[in-house]
Amino acid sequence: MVAIEIVRVAPAADLGLAEQILAVQKSSYAVEARLIGDDRIPLLHESVDDLCAAQVHWLVARQGDEILGAAAWSESEIDRLVVAPRAHRQGIGRALVVVVIESIAGQRIQVATGRDNSPARRLYESFGFVHTENQQVLPGLWLARYELVR
């Protein structure tokens, strides 16, 4: 069995990598869309150009050449966390969040997930993130916002 490694990457500099990340992102957000009963999640419909243009730092979790998960963050916010559905419940999301938290220098870290995405909410709460508000971003599409103060 090949170990999973987590590495920083630059998708904008590698179109093939960007396409792999986008495929994992789309499959991951498709699962969330089913969980929350709404497929209007903006990142579900992102293009490879949009992904490459995002002003964020990137990590991937990979096993050999296969991308199993990815995370992106800005100065104080986890922008996205995605795990390939076949790799769910294997600790990949948790491992990515650990590295992202270590990589953010600020005292406060913010994240949002679908209000009805119980697995993601439990994951963030297990790190000590506190629910701060629910926000309707489109009619009927709700996010749960969280903050971690360290």
Side-chain angles (χ1 to χ4, degrees):
M1 171 137 178
V2 178
I4 292 172
E5 65 175 341
I6 296 178
V7 294
R8 288 199 58 171
V9 295
D14 183 338
L15 184 60
L17 173 66
E19 289 171 343
Q20 282 185 286
I21 293 170
L22 185 63
V24 170
Q25 178 172 298
K26 285 184 180 284
S27 66
S28 181
Y29 282 118
V31 171
E32 182 172 20
R34 285 193 298 278
L35 282 172
I36 69 172
D38 198 322
D39 70 354
R40 295 176 297 160
I41 301 166
L43 293 176
L44 177 59
H45 305 288
E46 192 172 53
S47 71
V48 73
D49 289 338
D50 295 333
L51 185 143
C52 289
Q55 297 296 304
V56 292
H57 306 282
W58 285 94
L59 289 173
V60 296
R62 65 184 181 202
Q63 189 172 42
D65 292 335
E66 183 183 8
I67 305 282
L68 296 178
W73 73 97
S74 63
E75 297 309 311
S76 63
E77 183 174 9
I78 299 174
D79 181 71
R80 65 191 82 190
L81 174 68
V82 296
V83 176
R86 73 168 200 77
H88 283 179
R89 308 279 182 267
Q90 295 179 25
I92 292 168
R94 175 168 299 283
L96 285 164
V97 171
V98 166
V99 178
V100 170
I101 289 172
E102 291 170 354
S103 300
I104 293 178
Q107 296 301 304
R108 293 180 187 273
I109 302 173
Q110 297 176 326
V111 68
T113 190
R115 182 186 65 186
D116 298 326
N117 185 345
S118 297
R121 293 186 69 166
R122 282 192 303 271
L123 174 67
Y124 293 122
E125 290 166 2
S126 75
F127 281 98
F129 280 85
V130 175
H131 180 247
T132 57
E133 70 172 329
N134 289 325
Q135 177 187 20
Q136 188 172 210
V137 291
L138 293 169
L141 180 62
W142 288 86
L143 291 180
R145 294 203 171 275
Y146 283 85
E147 185 173 82
L148 177 66
V149 179
R150 349 180 235 178

